[in-house]
Each structure stands twice: as structure tokens, then as C-alpha cells.
Amino acid sequence: MKSQHNEAEVPFEFDELFFSRTDKRGKICSGNSVFRRISRFDWEELLGKPHNVIRHPDMPRGVFWLMWDRIRRGLPTGAYVKNRAKDGDHYWVYAIVTSIEDGYLSVRLKPSGPLFEIVKSAYERLLSIEERERVSPQQSASLLMQHLQEHSFEDYDAFMASSLLAELNARDDKIGRSRNGLVELLEDLCSTSRRLYGIAREIMVAYANHRFVPMNLIVHSGRLGSSGAAIGKISQNYGTLATEIEAALETFSISARKVAEAIQHGAFLIGTARLQREMSTAFLKEVLDDRIDRIEETTCLDSQTSSFWTRSFEGLAKIQGETSEFIRAASDMKRLSTGLAAIRVMGKVEAGRLGTRVLSDLIADLEAFQEKLNVGLAEISRLNDTLLNSTRHVLKAFDTADGRNRSSV
């Protein structure tokens, strides 16, 4: 549903950043001059007021439910938000909200990345459902997640990492600044990890579709009597191997998920730290109202930046560990695939000797699974090489960026 509000869009530039700070109850404690200007409120109308004073009626309740569910759990959260100025006009932001000692800090930029239009469409659809079907905010948040999954985002963390990195790159493009090398590397790393996890899931689905083959082989060998003795032995061997494959696939899938999570988490932390540092630098140049304490706000911004750079390093170290574990899991799958190939060949020989259609079809099912397994493992092997190479480059770029940021915060 399109907005029923005919307000104009508040103009502000892509090179402008703004922030606001609230207490634990969500009441505004401070902010910068760009925030006050764009919101079109005076400070007397903002300070001490609930942050929802700028909430726009076009925003689905489910988005705020999701944001607050994460924020209250201490999780840094990024989201596209449509805000309303005092006079009813609107402005879109990409907001990153983080917990601070006595409340929350929200740093915002003007969005223009490739996911922005997808999100606006999703919000319109959500708002329509909320109004038409009277779903709860939590149900609305679940519908938003289903929409994001349709766009290949496994969860909200995956979406946050990709959207933040895309917005940082888009912003650099808009203001005519060279893209940040670390951000570009992280964007590639996130894309690779999502593909890797996707392939692991495809292999799991392929196995699930063929998991009854060993049981069917046993049943068919019993019907063949003594002539099916060899098939019976083959089916027993495959049954034993299938148990190992199932256990290994579970480990394999979990490990792939951990790699993706570590990369997404590290990428979002680095992107957040970069934005907070730039916000702090810009804030130092602003002309402030007397009601805003520059030292207090600069200290808050710098403290957050320093904290997030430290957490970023820990996140990158975790990427290395999870990647190593996944490579070991992939190696186990390759070993089991080799054993599966031997069983399949023996089964194919027996199927040819006995000349039964049912047996041939079962062996064909087994062959189809192994083909999907081999194709998937070959692609994963390639992606692992890319992952390791990209991780090394990211760590090197981070060391360089970390040195610069530690000297400035």
C-alpha cells in the first residue's frame, strides 16, 4: 500500500550524518545540529521527549518490534526507518542503534543502496497487512523476516551486514569519495559466506530427498531371496555409511552457518565503527546549541567507536577459527563421498546383473544424490579458497584501518 500521506521529503545531503542519544526509556537526551535541523523541532521540543516524536505512521509496527527486541538484548541493530518531521514532511534514514551505559545511541545516514527499494516495498506490504488483518507487531516482524528470506537473507543479521556495507559503498559513490577497501572486501566476504551456506543447505535437502534409498535397497534385496544376497550386503554397507553421512552433514551444515554468522557479525561491527568514527569527526566541526555538551557527546561517540573496533578484531579472529572448522567438516564429507562412490559402483554392477527395474531406479537415486554432493563439494572447495584468501586480505586491511582509527579515537 502506498503512503496516504502527501508530505514532501525533507532535504539533506548524502555527506551529512546525524545522531541522537536517548536514555533507557527512549527519551531524547541529546543529538547533533543536523538531527535538530532535519527533524524541524527546536531543542525544547526534543530534549526529554520520547524518541517516537519523530515516528512516521507509514512505518510498520513490526519493524520497531524487531528493533527493540534486539536492542533490549544488547545487540547492535541496523534498520531502514522513515521518520516524520515536525511539519509532517518525511525523511528516510539507515539507522544504527547501539547500547551505551545509560541508554542508546543512534547514528544515521541517508540511504541509497540497492536494498533500499526492496525494503520500502516490504514496508508498504507489511503496513497494509497490519491494517487489514490486525496482526500483532511480533507477527508482523515474522512476516518481514519471511520477505527477507525470499531475497536470500537467512536471518536479520545477514540482512544487516549486507545492507550496512551496501549503504557505506553507496554513500561513498554519492559523495564522490573512493570506496573503502575494507568495506568492499567485507562485502565480498559476506556474499561468499552466504553462497557457501546456501550450498550446504542444498546438499542437506538433496540428502533428505534420498534418505530412504538404503531402506528400500534392503526391502528389495529381501524380495529377491538368495539372488539378492549381494544387494543385501551392499545395502547394509550403504546404511552404515548413510548414518555417518547424516551425522557429518549435520556438523557440516552447522559449521557453514557459524562461518556465515561470524563473517556477518564482524562485518557489521566494522561498518558500525567506521560510521561512528566519521560521525565523531563531523560532530567536532559543528556549531552547537548551548544545550548540547560537545565534550560529553564526543566522549560517548569516541568510546563507542573504540569499543566497536575492539569487538571487530575479536569478530575477525572468530572468522578464521570457524572457517578452519568448516574446511575440516568439508574434508570429512569428501571422504564419505568417496565411500559412497564405491558402494554405488558395486550396486550398479549388481543391478545390471539382476536386470530389475526397481533396483536400477534405486541405484539411479543414489547416483543423483552423489552427483549433487560432488558438485556441491567442488563448489565449496572453490569457495573455501576464496574465503581464506579474502579473510587474509580483510585482516591485513583491518590492521591498517585499525592503526589509523586507534590514533584518532
Side-chain angles (χ1 to χ4, degrees):
M1 180 183 71
K2 295 292 184 182
S3 172
Q4 299 301 310
H5 307 95
N6 296 317
E7 77 279 356
E9 184 168 2
V10 179
F12 71 102
E13 302 302 321
F14 285 101
D15 63 350
E16 292 187 293
L17 298 173
F18 60 100
F19 77 92
S20 58
R21 181 170 59 83
T22 70
D23 62 18
K24 290 293 185 182
R25 296 173 298 170
K27 291 188 175 181
I28 299 171
C29 300
S30 186
N32 66 328
S33 60
V34 180
F35 169 54
R36 194 215 59 76
R37 189 192 85 229
I38 295 172
S39 71
R40 294 176 175 168
F41 285 95
D42 292 327
W43 280 121
E44 290 87 350
E45 299 170 296
L46 288 171
L47 298 177
K49 301 298 190 298
H51 204 276
N52 63 11
V53 70
I54 60 171
R55 180 168 177 169
H56 198 287
D58 282 350
M59 279 296 294
R61 292 177 300 154
V63 177
F64 289 111
W65 186 93
L66 188 151
M67 289 180 65
W68 277 105
D69 177 63
R70 292 179 55 87
I71 294 165
R72 290 192 181 103
R73 290 186 284 134
L75 300 174
T77 300
Y80 291 94
V81 180
K82 185 178 185 180
N83 287 328
R84 191 175 193 179
K86 179 182 177 180
D87 58 4
D89 287 350
H90 76 274
Y91 56 97
W92 279 96
V93 298
Y94 187 89
I96 298 178
V97 185
T98 58
S99 296
I100 53 178
E101 184 177 353
D102 55 355
Y104 307 101
L105 175 71
S106 176
V107 177
R108 279 97 91 189
L109 57 78
K110 185 172 184 175
S112 62
L115 294 173
F116 184 31
E117 292 302 320
I118 292 173
V119 167
K120 286 199 291 185
S121 175
Y123 284 7
E124 288 174 5
R125 191 169 79 176
L126 269 182
L127 189 66
S128 177
I129 293 173
E130 286 182 355
E131 294 178 349
R132 185 178 66 251
E133 301 180 17
R134 304 298 180 185
V135 299
S136 70
Q138 186 173 1
Q139 289 171 324
S140 177
S142 296
L143 291 173
L144 174 60
M145 285 311 311
Q146 290 176 23
H147 184 82
L148 294 178
Q149 287 168 355
E150 290 170 6
H151 290 275
S152 302
F153 295 106
E154 181 65 23
D155 54 28
Y156 197 73
D157 288 286
F159 168 74
M160 285 198 320
S162 293
S163 59
L164 174 56
L165 297 177
E167 288 300 339
L168 291 175
N169 278 331
R171 181 169 180 267
D172 284 341
D173 293 342
K174 288 289 186 181
I175 65 179
R177 182 170 64 186
S178 296
R179 287 190 175 189
N180 182 278
L182 178 57
V183 171
E184 287 197 298
L185 284 169
L186 287 167
E187 198 169 34
D188 289 341
L189 202 56
C190 282
S191 177
T192 299
S193 70
R194 285 170 57 201
R195 176 59 185 147
L196 183 144
Y197 181 57
I199 294 173
R201 285 177 62 88
E202 289 171 9
I203 292 175
M204 286 285 285
V205 170
Y207 175 76
N209 291 337
H210 297 86
R211 66 185 183 280
F212 295 118
V213 171
M215 183 184 299
N216 291 335
L217 280 172
I218 292 173
V219 170
H220 190 64
S221 67
R223 290 173 178 170
L224 291 172
S226 59
S227 63
I231 287 295
K233 182 63 177 176
I234 290 171
S235 63
Q236 288 175 6
N237 290 339
Y238 180 36
T240 301
L241 185 63
T243 301
E244 289 188 60
I245 289 175
E246 188 167 355
L249 274 173
E250 183 68 20
T251 300
F252 179 70
S253 181
I254 291 172
S255 187
R257 179 67 189 145
K258 286 182 176 179
V259 170
E261 287 176 345
I263 290 172
Q264 292 155 10
H265 183 64
F268 188 76
L269 292 177
I270 291 173
T272 297
R274 183 196 173 200
L275 195 62
Q276 289 173 337
R277 179 178 65 83
E278 191 170 341
M279 179 70 261
S280 180
T281 301
F283 181 62
L284 289 172
K285 302 174 183 177
E286 289 188 18
V287 177
L288 299 181
D289 187 280
D290 291 340
R291 281 156 291 194
I292 304 300
D293 188 325
R294 188 188 299 275
I295 293 176
E296 182 180 4
E297 302 312 317
T298 301
T299 299
C300 176
L301 287 165
D302 288 349
S303 175
Q304 282 294 90
T305 303
S306 179
S307 171
F308 272 79
W309 276 110
T310 300
R311 292 168 65 182
S312 298
F313 180 78
E314 294 169 355
L316 289 176
K318 189 173 182 179
I319 291 173
Q320 287 188 308
E322 298 296 354
T323 300
S324 297
E325 287 297 321
F326 178 73
I327 290 174
R328 279 194 284 272
S331 178
D332 287 341
M333 287 305 306
K334 288 180 182 178
R335 174 181 60 80
L336 293 171
S337 178
T338 301
L340 184 62
I343 290 173
R344 179 182 59 79
V345 169
M346 289 187 290
K348 195 168 186 177
V349 170
E350 282 301 304
R353 182 179 68 82
L354 296 170
T356 67
R357 176 64 181 273
V358 173
L359 186 56
S360 295
D361 288 345
L362 289 172
I363 297 302
D365 284 344
L366 180 57
E367 192 168 13
F369 167 62
Q370 188 178 16
E371 176 64 21
K372 289 181 180 179
L373 179 60
N374 288 341
V375 169
L377 289 175
E379 177 66 4
I380 280 173
S381 179
R382 185 188 68 78
L383 289 174
N384 279 340
D385 290 340
T386 301
L387 205 60
L388 288 172
N389 189 50
S390 296
T391 302
R392 283 193 291 267
H393 285 301
V394 165
L395 286 167
K396 184 176 180 180
F398 179 81
D399 285 340
T400 302
D402 188 39
R404 288 198 302 267
N405 283 295
R406 288 185 183 281
S407 66
S408 62
V409 298

